[in-house]
Amino acid sequence: MNRNAFLPGVTGIALLLLVAVPVAFVVLQAVFPHLDTGSYSAPFSTFTRVFGEPSLQALFATTLKVGLGVALCSALIGVPLGALRGLFALPGAVLWDVVFLIPFLIPPYIAALSWMLALQTNGYVQQLLPWLHLNDFLFSLPGMVAVMTLNVFPVVYFAVSRSMAASGSRLADVARIHGAGPWRAFIRITLPMALPAIASSLLLAFTLSIEEYGVPGALGSRSGILMLTTGIEQRLADWPIDMPGAAVLSLLLVAIALCAYSVQRAVLAGKNVESMTGKPADVTQKSLAGWTLPVMALFTVVALIAVALPNVSTLVTAFSGTLSGGLTLSNFTLRHFGNLFAAHSDALGALSTSLSLALGTALIAGATGFLASWLVVARKIRGAALIDGLSLFPAALPGIVVGVGLILAWNRSFWPVTPYNTWGILLLSYCCLLLPYPVRYVSAALKQIGGNLDAAARVHGATAAQALRMILLPLVFPSLLASMMMVFAVASRELVTSLLLSPAGVQTVSVYVWRQFEQGSVGDGMAMASIAVLLSLTLMLIAFRLQQRQTS
């Protein structure tokens, strides 16, 4: 077998199984409305029906407003914080990374419920500050954008901080020596080098927000604000089930994401900046000097709003006997945590299943994303555009549609072996949904490195695999590890496909929490969410420690 074709072949097979197969069946379902019966009659008739519905325009407009609003707000928060973290010696830098990773450890619908408990009329905030009325803001379009932003902005923060830390400040210092002021050096040198990471992270923030269901389902349902995702859910939940209509709306989401991707490519055209020296950049971080206290105050305010407030709301609920009891000492109880460890409880099994699936997803998605990014950015092989496009598709697909695609694909009699109705189908769904994280993070890192080192290794007799393993992997490993931590955090709390695909006897944390809410046991659900976040944080600290040793 040709050794040069082995790695591209493995990557192609992985992308085919993880992305192409479920997406292809979603397309087939949209084109052929009677596919589930084995009939290919009336092709494209669903498109005409759905596009003729008067509600589609409102769904489309609201989705765009939310996506653009979240991307803009994430940039306003994530870019300044990321630049400060990457370029300056920030006190407690690793701790801040852990703090800003916490929003990813909380399911969006849990975060939305926590904000509801905190900000609604007679909520926790109003009990402490009676003059503050935020109920109307929370249940509005700006409120939805704010809640989504506080969950998504770490994508921008981590991308910008890692990118600027990798590029260093050496070139900006050269510009300062030649007469440029600090802001001019930042805008003309440092910022352009981080532009690929910024654009990629904003694209990811946009696509994450337009495909989110938990927050619109929790907040939008009370205020009458509907997005494409909630429209899809209605078609799958209301009888009669409209699977073809849901598939058509899913393809519309894909089209929106592809348009955003095209805009990103146009913005970056001819503007990518990379070091041509072939030498590692100076990563020595500068002192904040007199700006230490203001910068620490900024980080603290963001952490209090984005992390502390919703998590305190979660913990208060977990330790409260009843919601109506309010913030009183007499309402304090450990009963909800005791219920998790009771003999008849399935909580521990659900937690073990979620952590195992999250670890497997991080390894598989990380390896596949790294290879795909290498083939597209470094090797520029034939078909690179197709590989890059496949890596974008999952970010544009709602989890519920990926689940439907996997059911349509693998619940077929002609497969000799199928993951359907096993834990393997959950692993496939998580890997499909979360593949864009490592692809975008590693791609941004590879673009900064350039192709000189890989070419030099090949000239001196190294094979492609040797150059990849011995040169490129160590250089991009911090970005790869950061993306895998993101994948782990999101996979450990993924809800929609877990509800749709979990086989009998297999229960994840999100499914357990969801069922507690359905049964009215909000305290038990919040207690489980608190334990899951604590365990995930412990694993994140270990990962950060490993990353520190790798980069030291």
Side-chain angles (χ1 to χ4, degrees):
M1 182 179 181
N2 187 352
R3 289 185 298 175
N4 293 330
F6 177 73
L7 290 178
V10 170
T11 306
I13 293 174
L15 289 175
L16 178 67
L17 293 176
L18 297 180
V19 182
V21 169
V23 170
F25 274 87
V26 171
V27 173
L28 288 173
Q29 181 68 81
V31 174
F32 302 105
H34 306 293
L35 179 68
D36 54 340
T37 63
S39 173
Y40 297 95
S41 61
F44 297 101
S45 59
T46 306
F47 286 86
T48 303
R49 171 172 62 84
V50 172
F51 287 170
E53 296 176 356
S55 61
L56 179 62
Q57 183 176 355
L59 293 177
F60 182 82
T62 303
T63 300
L64 281 183
K65 290 178 183 178
V66 170
L68 294 174
V70 171
L72 175 61
C73 294
S74 296
L76 293 177
I77 299 175
V79 172
L81 295 182
L84 291 170
R85 167 66 177 90
L87 297 176
F88 296 93
L90 184 71
V94 175
L95 178 61
W96 289 116
D97 286 347
V98 175
V99 168
F100 289 144
L101 188 63
I102 292 176
F104 276 98
L105 305 179
I106 304 175
Y109 75 95
I110 293 292
L113 182 60
S114 297
W115 281 106
M116 288 170 57
L117 293 170
L119 301 184
Q120 66 185 353
T121 302
N122 297 323
Y124 298 135
V125 171
Q126 198 171 67
Q127 292 179 40
L128 297 174
L129 305 172
W131 50 268
L132 192 57
H133 301 275
L134 296 174
N135 183 81
D136 293 341
F137 169 76
L138 179 64
F139 297 104
S140 66
L141 185 61
M144 284 176 50
V145 170
V147 170
M148 287 189 185
T149 298
L150 296 177
N151 274 92
V152 169
F153 87 88
V155 168
V156 182
Y157 166 79
F158 280 101
V160 173
S161 63
R162 296 303 183 270
S163 174
M164 290 192 176
S167 61
S169 59
R170 181 171 54 86
L171 296 180
D173 290 339
V174 173
R176 295 287 304 279
I177 292 173
H178 287 78
W183 281 107
R184 186 178 183 185
F186 176 80
I187 294 173
R188 299 293 298 273
I189 304 295
T190 306
L191 191 60
M193 293 191 70
L195 188 60
I198 295 174
S200 297
S201 63
L202 290 181
L203 174 65
L204 189 53
F206 176 84
T207 52
L208 281 174
S209 61
I210 65 173
E211 64 91 18
E212 172 59 41
Y213 170 76
V215 177
L219 301 181
S221 59
R222 292 196 177 191
S223 52
I225 300 173
L226 298 178
M227 295 174 56
L228 285 172
T229 49
T230 50
I232 292 170
E233 190 274 339
Q234 287 180 351
R235 294 175 185 271
L236 293 174
D238 297 341
W239 186 262
I241 295 176
D242 185 11
M243 193 78 72
V248 169
L249 292 183
S250 301
L251 293 183
L252 183 57
L253 275 179
V254 173
I256 295 174
L258 287 177
C259 289
Y261 177 68
S262 300
V263 171
Q264 178 211 23
R265 293 289 293 266
V267 169
L268 292 180
K271 297 182 181 179
N272 285 356
V273 179
E274 60 187 35
S275 173
M276 303 300 292
T277 64
K279 299 178 181 179
D282 178 15
V283 295
T284 301
Q285 295 175 314
K286 295 183 177 299
S287 172
L288 286 168
W291 288 94
T292 300
L293 289 180
V295 169
M296 293 298 291
L298 175 63
F299 273 72
T300 301
V301 169
V302 174
L304 286 175
I305 296 174
V307 182
L309 185 56
N311 280 279
V312 168
S313 178
T314 299
L315 289 173
V316 168
T317 306
F319 285 104
S320 295
T322 61
L323 293 178
S324 59
L327 298 173
T328 61
L329 187 60
S330 60
N331 196 35
F332 177 85
T333 182
L334 296 175
R335 172 171 51 87
H336 301 304
F337 289 92
N339 292 341
L340 299 183
F341 297 96
H344 61 277
S345 175
D346 298 327
L348 294 181
L351 185 60
S352 174
T353 299
S354 283
L355 294 180
S356 300
L357 287 171
L359 178 60
T361 302
L363 294 174
I364 295 174
T368 304
F370 172 63
L371 291 175
S373 302
W374 172 63
L375 294 173
V376 172
V377 177
R379 297 297 305 278
K380 297 181 174 64
I381 67 168
R382 183 178 301 177
L386 178 61
I387 294 176
D388 203 27
L390 282 176
S391 69
L392 173 68
F393 264 62
L397 286 174
I400 194 168
V401 177
V402 171
V404 170
L406 288 170
I407 292 174
L408 292 171
W410 295 109
N411 188 22
R412 302 284 174 175
S413 59
F414 54 76
W415 294 113
V417 178
T418 176
Y420 183 72
N421 207 29
T422 70
W423 60 266
I425 198 75
L426 290 174
L427 190 61
L428 284 177
S429 67
Y430 293 175
C431 290
C432 176
L433 287 169
L434 302 176
L435 182 61
Y437 285 90
V439 169
R440 296 310 172 201
Y441 275 59
V442 175
S443 294
L446 288 174
K447 287 175 182 176
Q448 290 182 342
I449 294 173
N452 289 347
L453 297 179
D454 182 68
R458 301 295 299 277
V459 167
H460 287 81
T463 64
Q466 288 175 328
L468 177 68
R469 177 174 58 87
M470 301 178 68
I471 296 177
L472 294 182
L473 179 58
L475 290 175
V476 303
F477 184 75
S479 295
L480 177 60
L481 181 59
S483 69
M484 290 175 67
M485 288 189 292
M486 292 288 187
V487 169
F488 181 93
V490 178
S492 64
R493 50 79 161 168
E494 205 287 323
L495 170 69
V496 179
T497 56
S498 299
L499 285 172
L500 193 64
L501 300 173
S502 291
V506 176
Q507 188 171 203
T508 65
V509 166
S510 294
V511 173
Y512 178 88
V513 174
W514 179 267
R515 289 177 179 169
Q516 297 309 306
F517 286 141
E518 286 184 331
Q519 298 166 8
S521 303
V522 178
D524 288 0
M526 287 300 193
M528 181 59 161
S530 303
I531 291 178
V533 169
L534 179 61
L535 291 179
S536 297
L537 268 178
T538 302
L539 295 177
M540 293 302 101
L541 289 174
I542 296 174
F544 271 113
R545 182 61 179 170
L546 293 175
Q547 184 185 19
Q548 259 190 327
R549 291 181 178 179
Q550 179 71 25
T551 55
S552 61

